[in-house]
């Protein structure tokens, strides 16, 4: 049985909430790489810029490391996980402090050749 080659790229510790990136992950999963790129370029979401960089990197990895045809690539896997949370404080009334969580993400995109 011939195993499928999968090229992947990751962006760790991205300073964006995983919740915002998950929407884009769901949008591009299973799409052709060129279609996914076009969708992200025309979507006004905060995470699109980061996801475009990761997708370009995954496509370059597929072409250079695995000799895959860039025209046949599609997004076979994409997911985002929570990274470490930076805890910050906001001063409030009567000397109190409210905690502000600055969330980070680990983004992964994998591409493969379509048969």
């Amino acid at each position: 049985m011939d195993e499928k080659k999968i090229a992947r790229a990751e962006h760790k510790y991205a300073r964006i909430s995983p919740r915002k990136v998950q929407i884009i992950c769901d949008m591009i999963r299973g799409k052709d790489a060129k279609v996914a790129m076009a969708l992200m370029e025309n979507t006004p979401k905060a995470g699109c810029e980061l996801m475009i960089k990761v997708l370009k990197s995954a496509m370059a990895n597929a072409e250079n490391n695995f000799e895959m045809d860039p025209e046949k690539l599609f997004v076979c896997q994409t997911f985002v996980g929570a990274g470490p949370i930076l805890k910050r404080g906001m001063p409030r009334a009567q000397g109190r402090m409210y905690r502000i969580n600055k969330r980070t993400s680990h983004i992964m995109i994998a591409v493969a050749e379509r048969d």
Side-chain angles (χ1 to χ4, degrees):
M1 198 159 84
D2 185 34
E3 281 205 30
K4 225 182 219 187
K5 290 183 191 170
I6 295 176
R8 50 184 277 173
E10 292 182 11
H11 179 35
K12 293 196 162 205
Y13 306 103
R15 250 308 277 124
I16 188 166
S17 173
R19 211 173 146 173
K20 295 177 183 176
V21 183
Q22 185 64 47
I23 297 166
I24 303 154
C25 285
D26 294 338
M27 182 177 70
I28 67 167
R29 193 176 292 117
K31 302 262 193 314
D32 287 338
K34 301 273 183 186
V35 173
M37 189 74 71
L39 275 170
M40 288 190 292
E41 285 171 352
N42 294 300
T43 303
K45 289 279 184 194
C48 280
E49 287 179 32
L50 297 169
M51 294 284 285
I52 286 171
K53 286 178 90 169
V54 178
L55 181 58
K56 282 182 181 177
S57 179
M59 290 169 67
N61 289 343
E63 193 175 351
N64 294 320
N65 299 345
F66 298 104
E67 290 87 32
M68 292 185 199
D69 183 13
E71 298 299 316
K72 294 182 182 176
L73 293 177
F74 77 103
V75 180
C76 63
Q77 292 177 345
T78 175
F79 55 84
V80 60
I85 299 171
L86 305 172
K87 278 103 173 169
R88 301 293 181 259
M90 172 73 77
R92 303 303 289 183
Q94 298 179 357
R96 294 185 177 91
M97 180 191 78
Y98 283 0
R99 192 159 89 182
I100 307 290
N101 291 330
K102 306 279 187 174
R103 299 185 186 276
T104 60
S105 305
H106 299 318
I107 304 166
M108 195 285 292
I109 296 180
V111 294
E113 260 185 340
R114 217 180 269 288
D115 296 332

